[in-house]
Every structure is written in C-alpha cells, then in structure tokens.
Amino acid sequence: MTPQTLIKATLVAAVLATGSFGLTGCGFHLRGFEAPLHFDVAKTVVNIEDNKTAFPLKLPLSKRLKALGVDVIDGMSVSSDNLPAEPLAAITVKNIQFRRYELVGVLTEIRLVLSADVTYQTLQNGEPVTLSNPIQVERSYQYNEASVSTEDQQGSQIRDWLYDSLARRISDQYVAIGLPNTASTPAKPMIKP
C-alpha cells in the first residue's frame, strides 16, 4: 500500500467518523416536530405474564425499548416496597397465544398467528394516558411431512420471528403514544422577487 493510498484511506475514515459523531450529537428529531423525541416518563415497567408462551417475548421487547432510550424495569421485580419516587409508565402484555392453521395437501401450508392484548399507561403532556390494543402478527410457511426430516425446524424459526415482530409492534405503538399531538408550524415560503 502506497503512502498516498494510506493517507486517502485515513482521511475517508476520519470524515466518516466525524460525520457519524456529528449526526448522533445533533439532536435528531422527526421532521415536522421542533424538538427531539423524548418520553415524559423516564422509566417503564414491563408486565408480561409468567408462563412458557409469554416468557420468550421479554428479551426482544426489553431490547427494543432500551434501543429507543427507555429505561426498562421488569414487572416481576417491582413491588410496592421498591417503587421509585418518580412517575413510571407501564406496558402490560396479557393473553399471549399462538394459533396454528393448516391447509393439508401434498405440501402442508401452515399459518402461525401470535396475538396479545397490550395496555400502555404513560404520561403525555403531564396527563395520564391509557391505551389498550389487541396486537396480532402472523407468518405462513410450507412444510413437507414426507421429507426425510420429520422435525418442523422452520416452525421454531417462525416462532422466534413472531416474538421479534410482536416486540417491534409493541415498541412502535409505545413510541406513537409519546409523539406530540401537534406538529410545528410550517416554515413560511420564501417569496422570490
């Protein structure tokens, strides 16, 4: 590698690093809103049923919420004795269930559906907000029962995908609740002389 090529590569890396640091520190916000997105409540309690169907949702939901900047508290670890003094938001997920539909033929068409009832409790502009919503995600695949492998490996992969998809939908709705109700006033159009 020649010294000129090395200098060019170093400059490109420096420009990319500077650009990425500048972008993260600039106060990213959604177009149409004057301020960056922030939640009125810093900590959110996530309550998920304690059973084998609901348990696999805890990790992907916590990861998604933490990626959004939400401080997640597990609902199982919260009691009236150790509640923080500041206000808490809550996401309660109940009635998590799988349904499996099969269309049997030469190849079996399988449709897996994961549904849950989700309740959000938070503050918006200082006012308590409660929203309940049923959420459903689904995915279809084909399974050949006449194959050499009798295991339904794709079914277990689809289940993992459904948990991730449900976690994404729950976190997206939580963010939507936190969005301001009114957008900023549009900029005045420039008048050309």
Side-chain angles (χ1 to χ4, degrees):
M1 187 178 266
T2 66
Q4 291 174 339
T5 307
L6 186 59
I7 291 172
K8 286 180 184 178
T10 304
L11 282 173
V12 168
V15 168
L16 289 174
T18 304
S20 65
F21 287 125
L23 188 60
T24 57
C26 73
F28 170 76
H29 62 276
L30 298 172
R31 183 187 306 175
F33 296 100
E34 294 177 0
L37 176 64
H38 71 283
F39 296 99
D40 287 347
V41 181
K43 297 180 186 247
T44 301
V45 177
V46 176
N47 295 309
I48 297 178
E49 294 174 316
D50 189 22
N51 59 45
K52 69 179 184 175
T53 305
F55 183 75
L57 181 63
K58 283 185 179 187
L59 183 60
L61 182 57
S62 295
K63 280 184 177 180
R64 289 213 173 264
L65 290 170
K66 286 178 183 177
L68 293 169
V70 176
D71 190 7
V72 177
I73 300 172
D74 184 11
M76 295 292 208
S77 64
V78 175
S79 68
S80 59
D81 299 337
N82 63 354
L83 281 174
E86 71 262 10
L88 296 174
I91 299 174
T92 305
V93 185
K94 293 182 178 177
N95 199 19
I96 299 173
Q97 55 185 311
F98 274 100
R99 283 182 297 229
R100 179 183 171 116
Y101 303 96
E102 293 185 13
L103 180 60
V104 180
V106 175
L107 288 176
T108 302
E109 178 78 22
I110 299 174
R111 190 176 108 207
L112 281 179
V113 178
L114 178 62
S115 61
D117 296 327
V118 184
T119 303
Y120 307 92
Q121 297 170 328
T122 187
L123 295 176
Q124 188 179 53
N125 300 326
E127 297 292 322
V129 175
T130 301
L131 174 69
S132 294
N133 237 352
I135 299 178
Q136 177 176 306
V137 291
E138 64 181 72
R139 184 107 184 226
S140 296
Y141 67 98
Q142 292 181 345
Y143 174 61
N144 186 0
E145 292 181 3
S147 68
V148 175
S149 174
T150 58
E151 256 184 71
D152 185 8
Q153 294 175 346
Q154 191 174 2
S156 61
Q157 292 171 347
I158 297 293
R159 285 178 179 262
D160 293 342
W161 181 89
L162 287 172
Y163 281 115
D164 287 340
S165 184
L166 183 62
R168 183 177 61 250
R169 295 272 308 272
I170 291 170
S171 61
D172 288 350
Q173 284 188 358
Y174 185 69
V175 167
I177 293 169
L179 289 175
N181 287 335
T182 57
S184 64
T185 56
K188 294 180 183 178
M190 293 183 58
I191 302 172
K192 294 182 181 178

